[in-house]
């Protein structure tokens, strides 16, 4: 008993010393998202859920820490049915120029949210963590985020799947012009011991350079930004096809904000970016299924009902228009970040 007390005392002393200190964080989100209209690309359904992400950790130095916790996703209106608890466990290093995370860590560590052709709303709801490693650099004129997300470990029931993603942006000092690029590789492989050759290996590549203007200082609005870019995609299903499928299109994005109102419009026109979506769906593609269309326009109109230091309540109306479909979403999003 005496040895146990000595060990506990030493551990408590280490945790309360200057070198090592405890850390904690809590994120809470409640989302209502109702969609109506044509279900050609995305099901007309209602998302209504809460997501709680508590974590505790140890700060090892001024630059590094380890942390662990859970992400509890719980649909509303079905008691415990449909709930999912996912682990959070990672190491984080942060310096003025470099940052690194390894393990299972919050996607909110990214500098910017990915655009719709790389990351969909439904995955944003259900997959809060990146599972792998993230390397980030930031300087006076730009930043780079690069990560690998290991979506599926190879087992006899599950196919191996991972994505490698990079986003870099550069802007001259004190200028409104900026430029950047997105790169993504999705890889879907076989199950373990696939002796019957039921699965093939599938590859998906997306490259999207862009240029933009940040006109926030030049208008009466709080924020105004325009981006124009090109999106190129390459896909191949090695089991069924020997050649690559290619797609090329253009993308224009406008985002504006004034006080408690906001508007974001994204227009894409060109080739179909998800040619194998009907075969593999989100098992391969991480982006919105609307990019199966040669023309897609999304308009988001949102309002901040509450915007405080820790709490934000936002309402949004989203309009999805393609050459052959229309869908209308009404969203209400409450977030609490401590």
């Amino acid at each position: 008993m005496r040895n146990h007390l000595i060990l506990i005392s030493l551990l408590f002393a280490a945790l309360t010393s200057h070198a090592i200190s405890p850390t904690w964080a809590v994120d809470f989100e409640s989302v209502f998202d109702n969609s109506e209209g044509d279900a050609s690309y995305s099901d007309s359904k209602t998302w209504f859920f809460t997501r709680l992400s508590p974590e505790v950790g140890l700060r090892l130095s001024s630059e590094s820490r380890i942390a662990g916790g859970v992400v509890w996703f719980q649909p509303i209106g079905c008691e415990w049915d449909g709930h999912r608890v996912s682990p959070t466990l990672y190491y984080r290093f942060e310096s003025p120029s470099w940052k690194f995370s390894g393990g299972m860590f919050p996607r909110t560590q990214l500098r910017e949210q990915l655009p719709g052709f790389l990351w969909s709303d439904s995955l944003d709801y259900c997959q809060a963590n990146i599972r792998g490693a993230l390397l980030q650099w930031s300087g006076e004129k730009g930043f780079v985020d690069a990560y690998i997300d290991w979506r599926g470990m190879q087992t006899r029931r599950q196919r191996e799947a991972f994505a490698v993603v990079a986003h870099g942006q550069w802007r001259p000092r004190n200028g409104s012009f900026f430029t950047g690029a997105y790169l993504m590789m999705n890889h879907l492989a076989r199950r373990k011991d696939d002796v019957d050759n039921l699965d093939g290996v599938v590859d998906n590549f997306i490259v999207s350079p862009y240029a933009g203007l940040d006109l926030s200082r030049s208008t009466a609005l709080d924020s105004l930004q325009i981006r124009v870019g090109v999106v190129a995609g390459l896909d191949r299903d090695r089991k069924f096809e020997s050649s690559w499928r290619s797609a090329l299109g253009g993308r224009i994005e406008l985002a504006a904000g004034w006080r408690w109102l906001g508007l974001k419009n994204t227009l894409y026109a060109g080739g179909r970016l998800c040619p194998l979506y009907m075969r593999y769906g989100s098992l391969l593609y991480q982006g919105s299924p609307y990019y199966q269309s040669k023309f897609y326009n999304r308009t988001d109109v949102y309002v901040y009902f509450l915007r405080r230091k820790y709490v934000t309540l936002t309402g949004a109306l989203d309009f999805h228009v393609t050459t052959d479909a229309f869908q209308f979403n009404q969203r209400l999003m409450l977030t609490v970040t401590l």
Side-chain angles (χ1 to χ4, degrees), residues 101-139:
S101 292
M104 297 164 284
F105 47 91
R107 186 170 292 274
T108 52
Q109 292 183 6
L110 296 177
R111 285 286 302 266
E112 287 190 4
Q113 185 178 7
L114 294 177
F117 62 89
L118 296 180
W119 191 249
S120 67
D121 289 344
S122 58
L123 283 178
D124 194 49
Y125 295 158
C126 300
Q127 188 54 61
N129 284 350
I130 296 173
R131 299 141 293 183
L134 166 67
L135 181 63
Q136 299 172 290
W137 173 85
S138 59

Side-chain angles (χ1 to χ4, degrees), residues 121-232:
D121 289 344
S122 58
L123 283 178
D124 194 49
Y125 295 158
C126 300
Q127 188 54 61
N129 284 350
I130 296 173
R131 299 141 293 183
L134 166 67
L135 181 63
Q136 299 172 290
W137 173 85
S138 59
E140 294 183 356
K141 296 184 179 181
F143 69 88
V144 176
D145 284 0
Y147 68 88
I148 179 170
D149 189 4
W150 201 270
R151 306 196 311 269
M153 179 178 179
Q154 188 182 55
T155 67
R156 288 183 172 86
R157 295 185 177 181
Q158 180 175 267
R159 301 177 65 166
E160 179 182 283
F162 64 87
V164 179
V165 184
H167 175 210
Q169 189 178 109
W170 174 84
R171 60 176 67 204
R173 188 181 303 177
N174 299 325
S176 60
F177 173 80
F178 61 92
T179 184
Y182 298 99
L183 298 95
M184 172 181 277
M185 182 196 75
N186 277 314
H187 184 75
L188 181 63
R190 299 176 176 178
R191 296 177 181 88
K192 187 177 182 180
D193 300 330
D194 182 23
V195 294
D196 297 325
N197 197 27
L198 299 177
D199 304 326
V201 178
V202 190
D203 301 296
N204 163 243
F205 295 89
I206 293 180
V207 178
S208 178
Y210 65 84
L213 291 173
D214 189 344
L215 304 175
S216 304
R217 300 178 181 178
S218 305
T219 69
L221 300 174
D222 296 330
S223 63
L224 177 61
Q225 190 175 104
I226 302 173
R227 299 189 186 191
V228 179
V230 174
V231 186

Side-chain angles (χ1 to χ4, degrees), residues 8-23 57-59:
I8 293 173
S9 299
L10 291 174
L11 179 61
F12 179 78
L15 292 179
T16 55
S17 69
H18 178 72
I20 299 177
S21 60
T23 67
L58 295 175
R59 183 166 296 282

Side-chain angles (χ1 to χ4, degrees), residues 72-106:
W72 175 16
F73 177 89
Q74 178 63 61
I76 294 177
C78 55
E79 298 302 331
W80 289 103
D81 292 346
H83 80 281
R84 187 177 68 180
V85 178
S86 303
T88 297
L89 187 62
Y90 65 95
Y91 167 82
R92 179 70 169 170
F93 171 85
E94 295 180 325
S95 72
S97 298
W98 292 95
K99 295 179 176 63
F100 170 80
S101 292
M104 297 164 284
F105 47 91

Side-chain angles (χ1 to χ4, degrees), residues 28-39:
F28 172 81
E29 185 175 21
S30 182
V31 174
F32 173 83
D33 184 346
N34 178 64
S35 60
E36 300 174 353
D38 197 308

